[in-house]
Amino acid sequence: MSEQSPKERRIILKYADDPAYSNRIDCYLRVGGYQNLKKAFAMKPEEVGEEVLKSGVRGRGGAGFPAGMKWKFLDRKSGKPIYLICNADESEPGTFKDRQIMYKDPHQLIEGMMISAYAIGASQAFIYIRAEFHEGARILNRAISEAKDKGFCGNNILGSDFSCDLVVHRGAGAYICGEETGLIESLEGKRPNPRIKPPYFPAVLGLYQCPTIVNNVETLCNVRHIIEMGGDEFAKIGKPNNTGTRIWCVSGQVMKPGYYEFECGALTLGQMIFDVCGGLRPGRSLKAVIPGGSSAKVLRADERFSGTLKDGTAFDWGLGDIPLDFDGPMSAGSMSGSGGIIVMDDTVDIVQAMANINAFYAHESCGQCTPCREGSLWMRKITQRMCSGGARKEDADLLLSVAKQIEGRTICAFGEAAAWPTQSFVTKFKDDFINKASETAENRDPKSLQLI
Amino acid sequence: MISPTTEEMVTITLNGKEVEVPTGINAVEAAALHGQEVPHYCYHPKLSVAGNCRMCLVEMGTPMRDRSTGEAIFEEDGSPKIGWVPKPVIGCATNVSPGMHLRTESDLVSECREGIMEFLLVNHPLDCPICDQAGECRLQEFATDYGRGYSRYIERKNVKPKRTRLGPRVTLDDERCILCSRCIRFSQEVAKDDVLGFVDRGSFSTLTCFPGKELANNYSLNTVDICPVGALTSTDFRFKMRVWFLKETKSICTESSAGCNTIVSSREGVIQRITPRRNDLVNDTWMTDSGRDLYKSVRSESRILRPSVNGNDLPLKDVVSSAVDCLRGEKIGFVVSCHSSLEEQMLAKRLVSLTNAQTFICGHFGDDDGILLSADRSPNLRGALVTGLIDQYPNDNLADLNDAISKGNIETVFVFDEDLILSGVSKENLQKVSMVYLGTHSNNSSRLADVVLPGLSVFEKNGSFVNRSFIAQAFEMSVPGPAGIKSQVEVLTDIISKLSEEEGISSDLDEVWDIFNSHNQSVLAGTKFSNLKKVSVPIDGSSWSHLNFVEKTALNYHPIESEPK
């Protein structure tokens, strides 16, 4: 449990840390649960979709694509069944927000999903949950059966002629299942090799080659609140094009790591680290921050970021000035991704950190596309060797070149996810990589944190 | 390969040049049609698109349209403004569309290819000197054509299983595998025997058979053909011959009426292997495993190597004279064969009319696998129909010949290849008649023949067959026949020449066609052997649609709807 910061605006996690609140349906009903489902059912499905579009809510899974727009792409003319999938395969290193929602307030997700299913016309919905969330799957299954008993899910929801079954499907421990087409393959019982796009856009040819919408847990929960407030009202939260709240997961060397829900753009990265999270440990200084999960590009503590925003205003930020919303980290050359902020202080050996990230991507590459399959392992082998006394001066350039050969040349975004950390780490901390060649067991900084 | 029939064309711009290509094809094929190679590993024209090797990355752009009005946007010079996709796209999954621009020769494309080649080789064992694929390896070829030529990899390579037995005919070396998944897709989509898959992930992904399964279907060796590298190898051909020593000849498989197009590879007169040859109307790019074994009969012990009369080896000229003497009698029966080439059947037809003989034929039937092994286990039954040698669908026996001999209606039989005893003619009856046997291999009844004329196998002569879809296709001589043996066409021409006392009948196959076409009204008119050598020719089989052909619906074959008689 995170200690709630006074400046937070909790919408999704409103009751999550309330000691009097449980994940049972009675508790949810007491705080107005499933009232919005009734409200949505009084509307036409397309009106629900329109509210979501008006809200401007962007996907919380990483790419930040407007959810209402995604729903618009749905192929409704095919006559095939439409599926709704909740992507609960939260596995981006540094991210732990969806887990809080599912463990502490599962009915919020179910209500959001049923409203969404009604809006898109899906009569079968799935929650694809990562294998490691055993308890989460148990909680969700119990919640679904509670909701079915009360008529909020399953057959003839709220006595209407709309039915939507909801099934929890557990993954088998693969990061790639967080990629929506990989997830769909896995849900179909196959190896989760992401599909080629075109032609397999989920909204047209998704699960079982039927139109399918895949949304993140947090995104689907937002749908419930959009119905509660109305799309226009929701759009007033946060900033234009960055609407709603976001749950930021802060990890690394801060005094108070945890999850914090703020309106988009309500605070800066510096405020997050130094005010909300209590700053660094005594005597430490900030070295680097990864703002959006391990695949986002790293930001150096002493970097300056300047340019013009989409609305035309010029900016010149230090690391601490970056606003926490979708566009802020993006303007700084990185991304807010899944909201996982990883903070590294001056004790971190940056090559070790790189080796750790590379080990993750080499292990998680599905092995389908040549560049990512071979490149991720190669980069892991290089950084591992560098940390084991075998570093060469030319390794920095080699790493950059290997990463460049991966980026943009794979079926799914995993290629970028594997390449971006290397590209940013090596470019921004080149001296650390070059100096590694002269490091021996004797002259290594005794303070430096061994990560692998 | 048959050239595509009339298709709608679209205009695309390939490397700055406007070209016409058929609609619906992908960028790899479109570029190939105009002489531009787009290297690829996982893409195969007869399998679904996987798009995983990333070797066919090209640059693609389409004419830009205004988002709000949908109208085309033009450059200042009036040409359509092209919106180039910022990232390279895979050619295999990019279908051509009107006005599309493709760059297959740019700095970005070369850089992509160099990168992919380097990645493919980092964990590849580079054991070309002991690898069977050397010489026909896409990895070697593309590394030479598109690679950097040096390696920057100093780490340890992955270790994977070697010499795995995937099935009775296929051996797998996982370290050489580039995980293109062609073999997996083939097994699922064509052979319909889903036994292959990858286990583990990332660079440690390993091709294997599912537990308790093996790659044992009759199409397993096609996985070896389509494997772009030396991972899947033929257990039979492994370590037998370097492929650059092989002479390749176009041939037709004689296993069944499917008529798979093949390539027979030989060295110094010895056949080393048979592989399929692409024909989109017949076998696509596949053939059966069993068909690949047929060359082994060429050197079989039962091969007839000497012409003989009553068991005495004699010069061919004398044996032909004895055969002619036999045919001068009355009550002659010809046992023609569905295994004979069209040209042999044409000459047989002429002999039948010269000698006023009766014709008998025996069909050979088995199970139909619905792919490329049809129920009719002979290559040219339809040839016997179109040459007019027979007009009824054959039975699977020669009971009618047996009856005719019993009744004394037949006193001399001229047999092409057939084993009469196996086909239901009694030994006693055979001993009653005088018999001329023209064939490649001896059998129980040929041993009773008075006159034995050796012939050449399909690998040792030229000729043509008509397959189950009434497509006439030529096969060519791959290896020389045994010393002194003439082709059946030459022997038959000799016999006709002597019998008709006509000098100078040519045994040239085209002239055999010309003479046949001048004497007979048939659907074969207007073509000849040398045409078939260039391209297979579909012929009109509608006159026989009332016959009950045994073949079932299969790859590229749909039985003609039987018309009411």
Side-chain angles (χ1 to χ4, degrees), chain A residues 191 363 365 370 374 381 385 401 405 409, chain B residues 54 123 148 152 155-156 200-202:
Chain A
R191 232 180 120 81
H363 183 254
S365 169
T370 309
E374 302 298 339
K381 285 176 176 174
R385 170 169 54 74
S401 169
Q405 289 182 173
R409 299 179 191 175
Chain B
R54 318 305 287 179
N123 279 303
R148 280 200 194 95
R152 302 182 289 175
E155 325 300 330
R156 288 197 168 192
D200 295 339
R201 59 194 185 190

mmCIF file with all atom_site columns, all heavy atoms in Angstrom, chain A residues 191 363 365 370 374 381 385 401 405 409, chain B residues 54 123 148 152 155-156 200-202:
data_model
loop_
_atom_site.group_PDB
_atom_site.id
_atom_site.type_symbol
_atom_site.label_atom_id
_atom_site.label_alt_id
_atom_site.label_comp_id
_atom_site.label_asym_id
_atom_site.label_entity_id
_atom_site.label_seq_id
_atom_site.pdbx_PDB_ins_code
_atom_site.Cartn_x
_atom_site.Cartn_y
_atom_site.Cartn_z
_atom_site.occupancy
_atom_site.B_iso_or_equiv
_atom_site.pdbx_formal_charge
_atom_site.auth_seq_id
_atom_site.auth_comp_id
_atom_site.auth_asym_id
_atom_site.auth_atom_id
_atom_site.pdbx_PDB_model_num
ATOM 1   N N   . ARG A 1 191 ? 1.183  -20.011 -29.774 1.00 0.00 ? 191 ARG A N   1
ATOM 2   C CA  . ARG A 1 191 ? 2.366  -19.265 -29.369 1.00 0.00 ? 191 ARG A CA  1
ATOM 3   C C   . ARG A 1 191 ? 2.086  -17.786 -29.598 1.00 0.00 ? 191 ARG A C   1
ATOM 4   O O   . ARG A 1 191 ? 1.589  -17.416 -30.656 1.00 0.00 ? 191 ARG A O   1
ATOM 5   C CB  . ARG A 1 191 ? 3.500  -19.688 -30.304 1.00 0.00 ? 191 ARG A CB  1
ATOM 6   C CG  . ARG A 1 191 ? 4.753  -20.133 -29.671 1.00 0.00 ? 191 ARG A CG  1
ATOM 7   C CD  . ARG A 1 191 ? 5.718  -20.496 -30.780 1.00 0.00 ? 191 ARG A CD  1
ATOM 8   N NE  . ARG A 1 191 ? 6.909  -19.667 -30.685 1.00 0.00 ? 191 ARG A NE  1
ATOM 9   C CZ  . ARG A 1 191 ? 7.903  -19.918 -29.863 1.00 0.00 ? 191 ARG A CZ  1
ATOM 10  N NH1 . ARG A 1 191 ? 7.870  -20.967 -29.084 1.00 0.00 ? 191 ARG A NH1 1
ATOM 11  N NH2 . ARG A 1 191 ? 8.958  -19.134 -29.825 1.00 0.00 ? 191 ARG A NH2 1
ATOM 12  N N   . HIS A 1 363 ? 15.334 -12.246 -22.845 1.00 0.00 ? 363 HIS A N   1
ATOM 13  C CA  . HIS A 1 363 ? 14.550 -13.362 -22.323 1.00 0.00 ? 363 HIS A CA  1
ATOM 14  C C   . HIS A 1 363 ? 13.125 -13.325 -22.832 1.00 0.00 ? 363 HIS A C   1
ATOM 15  O O   . HIS A 1 363 ? 12.490 -14.364 -23.005 1.00 0.00 ? 363 HIS A O   1
ATOM 16  C CB  . HIS A 1 363 ? 14.556 -13.315 -20.793 1.00 0.00 ? 363 HIS A CB  1
ATOM 17  C CG  . HIS A 1 363 ? 13.828 -14.453 -20.149 1.00 0.00 ? 363 HIS A CG  1
ATOM 18  N ND1 . HIS A 1 363 ? 12.600 -14.319 -19.556 1.00 0.00 ? 363 HIS A ND1 1
ATOM 19  C CD2 . HIS A 1 363 ? 14.151 -15.752 -20.033 1.00 0.00 ? 363 HIS A CD2 1
ATOM 20  C CE1 . HIS A 1 363 ? 12.200 -15.498 -19.101 1.00 0.00 ? 363 HIS A CE1 1
ATOM 21  N NE2 . HIS A 1 363 ? 13.123 -16.379 -19.373 1.00 0.00 ? 363 HIS A NE2 1
ATOM 22  N N   . SER A 1 365 ? 11.900 -11.745 -25.728 1.00 0.00 ? 365 SER A N   1
ATOM 23  C CA  . SER A 1 365 ? 11.642 -11.693 -27.173 1.00 0.00 ? 365 SER A CA  1
ATOM 24  C C   . SER A 1 365 ? 10.977 -12.998 -27.592 1.00 0.00 ? 365 SER A C   1
ATOM 25  O O   . SER A 1 365 ? 11.408 -14.077 -27.190 1.00 0.00 ? 365 SER A O   1
ATOM 26  C CB  . SER A 1 365 ? 12.958 -11.517 -27.928 1.00 0.00 ? 365 SER A CB  1
ATOM 27  O OG  . SER A 1 365 ? 12.742 -11.724 -29.306 1.00 0.00 ? 365 SER A OG  1
ATOM 28  N N   . THR A 1 370 ? 13.659 -11.752 -36.975 1.00 0.00 ? 370 THR A N   1
ATOM 29  C CA  . THR A 1 370 ? 15.109 -11.878 -36.878 1.00 0.00 ? 370 THR A CA  1
ATOM 30  C C   . THR A 1 370 ? 15.772 -10.743 -36.083 1.00 0.00 ? 370 THR A C   1
ATOM 31  O O   . THR A 1 370 ? 16.575 -11.032 -35.186 1.00 0.00 ? 370 THR A O   1
ATOM 32  C CB  . THR A 1 370 ? 15.704 -11.942 -38.294 1.00 0.00 ? 370 THR A CB  1
ATOM 33  O OG1 . THR A 1 370 ? 15.001 -12.948 -39.019 1.00 0.00 ? 370 THR A OG1 1
ATOM 34  C CG2 . THR A 1 370 ? 17.175 -12.268 -38.255 1.00 0.00 ? 370 THR A CG2 1
ATOM 35  N N   . GLU A 1 374 ? 17.608 -11.964 -32.568 1.00 0.00 ? 374 GLU A N   1
ATOM 36  C CA  . GLU A 1 374 ? 19.063 -12.082 -32.502 1.00 0.00 ? 374 GLU A CA  1
ATOM 37  C C   . GLU A 1 374 ? 19.677 -10.843 -31.851 1.00 0.00 ? 374 GLU A C   1
ATOM 38  O O   . GLU A 1 374 ? 20.652 -10.955 -31.111 1.00 0.00 ? 374 GLU A O   1
ATOM 39  C CB  . GLU A 1 374 ? 19.641 -12.284 -33.904 1.00 0.00 ? 374 GLU A CB  1
ATOM 40  C CG  . GLU A 1 374 ? 19.100 -13.511 -34.635 1.00 0.00 ? 374 GLU A CG  1
ATOM 41  C CD  . GLU A 1 374 ? 19.417 -14.819 -33.944 1.00 0.00 ? 374 GLU A CD  1
ATOM 42  O OE1 . GLU A 1 374 ? 20.376 -14.863 -33.125 1.00 0.00 ? 374 GLU A OE1 1
ATOM 43  O OE2 . GLU A 1 374 ? 18.701 -15.806 -34.182 1.00 0.00 ? 374 GLU A OE2 1
ATOM 44  N N   . LYS A 1 381 ? 24.402 -10.203 -24.462 1.00 0.00 ? 381 LYS A N   1
ATOM 45  C CA  . LYS A 1 381 ? 25.723 -10.818 -24.342 1.00 0.00 ? 381 LYS A CA  1
ATOM 46  C C   . LYS A 1 381 ? 26.823 -9.761  -24.251 1.00 0.00 ? 381 LYS A C   1
ATOM 47  O O   . LYS A 1 381 ? 27.787 -9.916  -23.501 1.00 0.00 ? 381 LYS A O   1
ATOM 48  C CB  . LYS A 1 381 ? 25.974 -11.761 -25.519 1.00 0.00 ? 381 LYS A CB  1
ATOM 49  C CG  . LYS A 1 381 ? 25.211 -13.074 -25.421 1.00 0.00 ? 381 LYS A CG  1
ATOM 50  C CD  . LYS A 1 381 ? 25.412 -13.938 -26.657 1.00 0.00 ? 381 LYS A CD  1
ATOM 51  C CE  . LYS A 1 381 ? 24.728 -15.300 -26.517 1.00 0.00 ? 381 LYS A CE  1
ATOM 52  N NZ  . LYS A 1 381 ? 24.803 -16.085 -27.772 1.00 0.00 ? 381 LYS A NZ  1
ATOM 53  N N   . ARG A 1 385 ? 29.050 -9.209  -20.928 1.00 0.00 ? 385 ARG A N   1
ATOM 54  C CA  . ARG A 1 385 ? 30.511 -9.315  -21.011 1.00 0.00 ? 385 ARG A CA  1
ATOM 55  C C   . ARG A 1 385 ? 31.171 -8.053  -20.458 1.00 0.00 ? 385 ARG A C   1
ATOM 56  O O   . ARG A 1 385 ? 32.170 -8.115  -19.735 1.00 0.00 ? 385 ARG A O   1
ATOM 57  C CB  . ARG A 1 385 ? 30.922 -9.530  -22.482 1.00 0.00 ? 385 ARG A CB  1
ATOM 58  C CG  . ARG A 1 385 ? 32.401 -9.424  -22.769 1.00 0.00 ? 385 ARG A CG  1
ATOM 59  C CD  . ARG A 1 385 ? 32.765 -9.894  -24.167 1.00 0.00 ? 385 ARG A CD  1
ATOM 60  N NE  . ARG A 1 385 ? 32.022 -9.241  -25.242 1.00 0.00 ? 385 ARG A NE  1
ATOM 61  C CZ  . ARG A 1 385 ? 32.221 -7.998  -25.667 1.00 0.00 ? 385 ARG A CZ  1
ATOM 62  N NH1 . ARG A 1 385 ? 33.149 -7.251  -25.109 1.00 0.00 ? 385 ARG A NH1 1
ATOM 63  N NH2 . ARG A 1 385 ? 31.495 -7.495  -26.645 1.00 0.00 ? 385 ARG A NH2 1
ATOM 64  N N   . SER A 1 401 ? 24.904 0.400   -32.888 1.00 0.00 ? 401 SER A N   1
ATOM 65  C CA  . SER A 1 401 ? 24.670 -0.092  -34.242 1.00 0.00 ? 401 SER A CA  1
ATOM 66  C C   . SER A 1 401 ? 23.703 -1.273  -34.235 1.00 0.00 ? 401 SER A C   1
ATOM 67  O O   . SER A 1 401 ? 22.804 -1.365  -35.070 1.00 0.00 ? 401 SER A O   1
ATOM 68  C CB  . SER A 1 401 ? 26.012 -0.485  -34.863 1.00 0.00 ? 401 SER A CB  1
ATOM 69  O OG  . SER A 1 401 ? 25.790 -1.168  -36.045 1.00 0.00 ? 401 SER A OG  1
ATOM 70  N N   . GLN A 1 405 ? 19.854 -1.499  -35.882 1.00 0.00 ? 405 GLN A N   1
ATOM 71  C CA  . GLN A 1 405 ? 19.411 -2.524  -36.834 1.00 0.00 ? 405 GLN A CA  1
ATOM 72  C C   . GLN A 1 405 ? 18.119 -3.212  -36.401 1.00 0.00 ? 405 GLN A C   1
ATOM 73  O O   . GLN A 1 405 ? 17.543 -3.964  -37.166 1.00 0.00 ? 405 GLN A O   1
ATOM 74  C CB  . GLN A 1 405 ? 20.516 -3.589  -37.003 1.00 0.00 ? 405 GLN A CB  1
ATOM 75  C CG  . GLN A 1 405 ? 21.703 -3.069  -37.765 1.00 0.00 ? 405 GLN A CG  1
ATOM 76  C CD  . GLN A 1 405 ? 22.775 -4.125  -37.990 1.00 0.00 ? 405 GLN A CD  1
ATOM 77  O OE1 . GLN A 1 405 ? 23.718 -3.883  -38.697 1.00 0.00 ? 405 GLN A OE1 1
ATOM 78  N NE2 . GLN A 1 405 ? 22.647 -5.303  -37.398 1.00 0.00 ? 405 GLN A NE2 1
ATOM 79  N N   . ARG A 1 409 ? 12.178 -2.365  -37.554 1.00 0.00 ? 409 ARG A N   1
ATOM 80  C CA  . ARG A 1 409 ? 12.267 -3.427  -38.561 1.00 0.00 ? 409 ARG A CA  1
ATOM 81  C C   . ARG A 1 409 ? 11.616 -4.719  -38.094 1.00 0.00 ? 409 ARG A C   1
ATOM 82  O O   . ARG A 1 409 ? 11.946 -5.800  -38.566 1.00 0.00 ? 409 ARG A O   1
ATOM 83  C CB  . ARG A 1 409 ? 13.738 -3.663  -38.925 1.00 0.00 ? 409 ARG A CB  1
ATOM 84  C CG  . ARG A 1 409 ? 14.340 -2.392  -39.501 1.00 0.00 ? 409 ARG A CG  1
ATOM 85  C CD  . ARG A 1 409 ? 15.782 -2.514  -39.857 1.00 0.00 ? 409 ARG A CD  1
ATOM 86  N NE  . ARG A 1 409 ? 16.316 -1.179  -40.154 1.00 0.00 ? 409 ARG A NE  1
ATOM 87  C CZ  . ARG A 1 409 ? 17.585 -0.937  -40.409 1.00 0.00 ? 409 ARG A CZ  1
ATOM 88  N NH1 . ARG A 1 409 ? 18.451 -1.928  -40.410 1.00 0.00 ? 409 ARG A NH1 1
ATOM 89  N NH2 . ARG A 1 409 ? 17.991 0.285   -40.661 1.00 0.00 ? 409 ARG A NH2 1
ATOM 90  N N   . ARG B 2 54  ? 12.125 -10.744 -42.098 1.00 0.00 ? 54  ARG B N   1
ATOM 91  C CA  . ARG B 2 54  ? 12.423 -9.318  -42.278 1.00 0.00 ? 54  ARG B CA  1
ATOM 92  C C   . ARG B 2 54  ? 13.484 -9.061  -43.344 1.00 0.00 ? 54  ARG B C   1
ATOM 93  O O   . ARG B 2 54  ? 14.052 -7.972  -43.392 1.00 0.00 ? 54  ARG B O   1
ATOM 94  C CB  . ARG B 2 54  ? 12.835 -8.649  -40.957 1.00 0.00 ? 54  ARG B CB  1
ATOM 95  C CG  . ARG B 2 54  ? 12.031 -9.048  -39.761 1.00 0.00 ? 54  ARG B CG  1
ATOM 96  C CD  . ARG B 2 54  ? 10.570 -8.852  -39.930 1.00 0.00 ? 54  ARG B CD  1
ATOM 97  N NE  . ARG B 2 54  ? 10.115 -7.481  -39.898 1.00 0.00 ? 54  ARG B NE  1
ATOM 98  C CZ  . ARG B 2 54  ? 8.843  -7.116  -40.059 1.00 0.00 ? 54  ARG B CZ  1
ATOM 99  N NH1 . ARG B 2 54  ? 7.925  -8.028  -40.272 1.00 0.00 ? 54  ARG B NH1 1
ATOM 100 N NH2 . ARG B 2 54  ? 8.507  -5.846  -40.037 1.00 0.00 ? 54  ARG B NH2 1
ATOM 101 N N   . ASN B 2 123 ? 24.274 -16.374 -34.748 1.00 0.00 ? 123 ASN B N   1
ATOM 102 C CA  . ASN B 2 123 ? 24.177 -17.653 -34.045 1.00 0.00 ? 123 ASN B CA  1
ATOM 103 C C   . ASN B 2 123 ? 24.165 -18.842 -35.000 1.00 0.00 ? 123 ASN B C   1
ATOM 104 O O   . ASN B 2 123 ? 23.802 -19.948 -34.619 1.00 0.00 ? 123 ASN B O   1
ATOM 105 C CB  . ASN B 2 123 ? 22.936 -17.676 -33.156 1.00 0.00 ? 123 ASN B CB  1
ATOM 106 C CG  . ASN B 2 123 ? 23.185 -16.957 -31.851 1.00 0.00 ? 123 ASN B CG  1
ATOM 107 O OD1 . ASN B 2 123 ? 24.108 -17.320 -31.118 1.00 0.00 ? 123 ASN B OD1 1
ATOM 108 N ND2 . ASN B 2 123 ? 22.414 -15.920 -31.578 1.00 0.00 ? 123 ASN B ND2 1
ATOM 109 N N   . ARG B 2 148 ? 27.481 -7.824  -45.262 1.00 0.00 ? 148 ARG B N   1
ATOM 110 C CA  . ARG B 2 148 ? 28.615 -6.911  -45.151 1.00 0.00 ? 148 ARG B CA  1
ATOM 111 C C   . ARG B 2 148 ? 29.926 -7.595  -45.487 1.00 0.00 ? 148 ARG B C   1
ATOM 112 O O   . ARG B 2 148 ? 30.897 -6.966  -45.831 1.00 0.00 ? 148 ARG B O   1
ATOM 113 C CB  . ARG B 2 148 ? 28.718 -6.394  -43.722 1.00 0.00 ? 148 ARG B CB  1
ATOM 114 C CG  . ARG B 2 148 ? 27.759 -5.290  -43.424 1.00 0.00 ? 148 ARG B CG  1
ATOM 115 C CD  . ARG B 2 148 ? 28.193 -4.492  -42.221 1.00 0.00 ? 148 ARG B CD  1
ATOM 116 N NE  . ARG B 2 148 ? 27.060 -3.664  -41.808 1.00 0.00 ? 148 ARG B NE  1
ATOM 117 C CZ  . ARG B 2 148 ? 26.203 -4.020  -40.864 1.00 0.00 ? 148 ARG B CZ  1
ATOM 118 N NH1 . ARG B 2 148 ? 26.365 -5.144  -40.220 1.00 0.00 ? 148 ARG B NH1 1
ATOM 119 N NH2 . ARG B 2 148 ? 25.188 -3.240  -40.577 1.00 0.00 ? 148 ARG B NH2 1
ATOM 120 N N   . ARG B 2 152 ? 30.952 -8.831  -36.721 1.00 0.00 ? 152 ARG B N   1
ATOM 121 C CA  . ARG B 2 152 ? 31.369 -8.060  -35.550 1.00 0.00 ? 152 ARG B CA  1
ATOM 122 C C   . ARG B 2 152 ? 31.078 -8.836  -34.275 1.00 0.00 ? 152 ARG B C   1
ATOM 123 O O   . ARG B 2 152 ? 31.136 -8.285  -33.196 1.00 0.00 ? 152 ARG B O   1
ATOM 124 C CB  . ARG B 2 152 ? 30.607 -6.724  -35.527 1.00 0.00 ? 152 ARG B CB  1
ATOM 125 C CG  . ARG B 2 152 ? 30.816 -5.903  -36.778 1.00 0.00 ? 152 ARG B CG  1
ATOM 126 C CD  . ARG B 2 152 ? 30.079 -4.591  -36.683 1.00 0.00 ? 152 ARG B CD  1
ATOM 127 N NE  . ARG B 2 152 ? 28.630 -4.778  -36.776 1.00 0.00 ? 152 ARG B NE  1
ATOM 128 C CZ  . ARG B 2 152 ? 27.756 -3.787  -36.623 1.00 0.00 ? 152 ARG B CZ  1
ATOM 129 N NH1 . ARG B 2 152 ? 28.178 -2.578  -36.356 1.00 0.00 ? 152 ARG B NH1 1
ATOM 130 N NH2 . ARG B 2 152 ? 26.457 -4.012  -36.723 1.00 0.00 ? 152 ARG B NH2 1
ATOM 131 N N   . GLU B 2 155 ? 30.851 -12.879 -29.317 1.00 0.00 ? 155 GLU B N   1
ATOM 132 C CA  . GLU B 2 155 ? 30.320 -13.635 -28.175 1.00 0.00 ? 155 GLU B CA  1
ATOM 133 C C   . GLU B 2 155 ? 30.214 -15.114 -28.540 1.00 0.00 ? 155 GLU B C   1
ATOM 134 O O   . GLU B 2 155 ? 30.429 -15.507 -29.673 1.00 0.00 ? 155 GLU B O   1
ATOM 135 C CB  . GLU B 2 155 ? 28.926 -13.101 -27.789 1.00 0.00 ? 155 GLU B CB  1
ATOM 136 C CG  . GLU B 2 155 ? 28.717 -11.605 -27.956 1.00 0.00 ? 155 GLU B CG  1
ATOM 137 C CD  . GLU B 2 155 ? 29.660 -10.743 -27.146 1.00 0.00 ? 155 GLU B CD  1
ATOM 138 O OE1 . GLU B 2 155 ? 30.083 -11.195 -26.068 1.00 0.00 ? 155 GLU B OE1 1
ATOM 139 O OE2 . GLU B 2 155 ? 29.997 -9.633  -27.597 1.00 0.00 ? 155 GLU B OE2 1
ATOM 140 N N   . ARG B 2 156 ? 29.858 -15.904 -27.544 1.00 0.00 ? 156 ARG B N   1
ATOM 141 C CA  . ARG B 2 156 ? 29.648 -17.323 -27.804 1.00 0.00 ? 156 ARG B CA  1
ATOM 142 C C   . ARG B 2 156 ? 28.343 -17.531 -28.556 1.00 0.00 ? 156 ARG B C   1
ATOM 143 O O   . ARG B 2 156 ? 27.353 -16.855 -28.292 1.00 0.00 ? 156 ARG B O   1
ATOM 144 C CB  . ARG B 2 156 ? 29.577 -18.097 -26.490 1.00 0.00 ? 156 ARG B CB  1
ATOM 145 C CG  . ARG B 2 156 ? 30.906 -18.208 -25.830 1.00 0.00 ? 156 ARG B CG  1
ATOM 146 C CD  . ARG B 2 156 ? 30.876 -19.301 -24.805 1.00 0.00 ? 156 ARG B CD  1
ATOM 147 N NE  . ARG B 2 156 ? 32.229 -19.592 -24.362 1.00 0.00 ? 156 ARG B NE  1
ATOM 148 C CZ  . ARG B 2 156 ? 32.554 -20.637 -23.638 1.00 0.00 ? 156 ARG B CZ  1
ATOM 149 N NH1 . ARG B 2 156 ? 31.615 -21.498 -23.282 1.00 0.00 ? 156 ARG B NH1 1
ATOM 150 N NH2 . ARG B 2 156 ? 33.784 -20.843 -23.270 1.00 0.00 ? 156 ARG B NH2 1
ATOM 151 N N   . ASP B 2 200 ? 10.582 -23.015 -26.690 1.00 0.00 ? 200 ASP B N   1
ATOM 152 C CA  . ASP B 2 200 ? 11.433 -21.970 -26.120 1.00 0.00 ? 200 ASP B CA  1
ATOM 153 C C   . ASP B 2 200 ? 11.230 -20.657 -26.868 1.00 0.00 ? 200 ASP B C   1
ATOM 154 O O   . ASP B 2 200 ? 10.459 -20.601 -27.818 1.00 0.00 ? 200 ASP B O   1
ATOM 155 C CB  . ASP B 2 200 ? 12.906 -22.387 -26.109 1.00 0.00 ? 200 ASP B CB  1
ATOM 156 C CG  . ASP B 2 200 ? 13.125 -23.570 -25.180 1.00 0.00 ? 200 ASP B CG  1
ATOM 157 O OD1 . ASP B 2 200 ? 12.268 -23.765 -24.301 1.00 0.00 ? 200 ASP B OD1 1
ATOM 158 O OD2 . ASP B 2 200 ? 14.122 -24.294 -25.341 1.00 0.00 ? 200 ASP B OD2 1
ATOM 159 N N   . ARG B 2 201 ? 11.927 -19.625 -26.422 1.00 0.00 ? 201 ARG B N   1
ATOM 160 C CA  . ARG B 2 201 ? 11.631 -18.344 -27.060 1.00 0.00 ? 201 ARG B CA  1
ATOM 161 C C   . ARG B 2 201 ? 12.892 -17.535 -27.338 1.00 0.00 ? 201 ARG B C   1
ATOM 162 O O   . ARG B 2 201 ? 13.988 -17.926 -26.951 1.00 0.00 ? 201 ARG B O   1
ATOM 163 C CB  . ARG B 2 201 ? 10.627 -17.557 -26.229 1.00 0.00 ? 201 ARG B CB  1
ATOM 164 C CG  . ARG B 2 201 ? 11.076 -17.260 -24.823 1.00 0.00 ? 201 ARG B CG  1
ATOM 165 C CD  . ARG B 2 201 ? 9.858  -16.787 -24.029 1.00 0.00 ? 201 ARG B CD  1
ATOM 166 N NE  . ARG B 2 201 ? 10.214 -16.356 -22.699 1.00 0.00 ? 201 ARG B NE  1
ATOM 167 C CZ  . ARG B 2 201 ? 9.325  -16.080 -21.755 1.00 0.00 ? 201 ARG B CZ  1
ATOM 168 N NH1 . ARG B 2 201 ? 8.047  -16.214 -21.998 1.00 0.00 ? 201 ARG B NH1 1
ATOM 169 N NH2 . ARG B 2 201 ? 9.709  -15.688 -20.576 1.00 0.00 ? 201 ARG B NH2 1
ATOM 170 N N   . GLY B 2 202 ? 12.680 -16.406 -27.979 1.00 0.00 ? 202 GLY B N   1
ATOM 171 C CA  . GLY B 2 202 ? 13.805 -15.556 -28.352 1.00 0.00 ? 202 GLY B CA  1
ATOM 172 C C   . GLY B 2 202 ? 14.776 -16.319 -29.224 1.00 0.00 ? 202 GLY B C   1
ATOM 173 O O   . GLY B 2 202 ? 14.396 -17.182 -30.017 1.00 0.00 ? 202 GLY B O   1
#
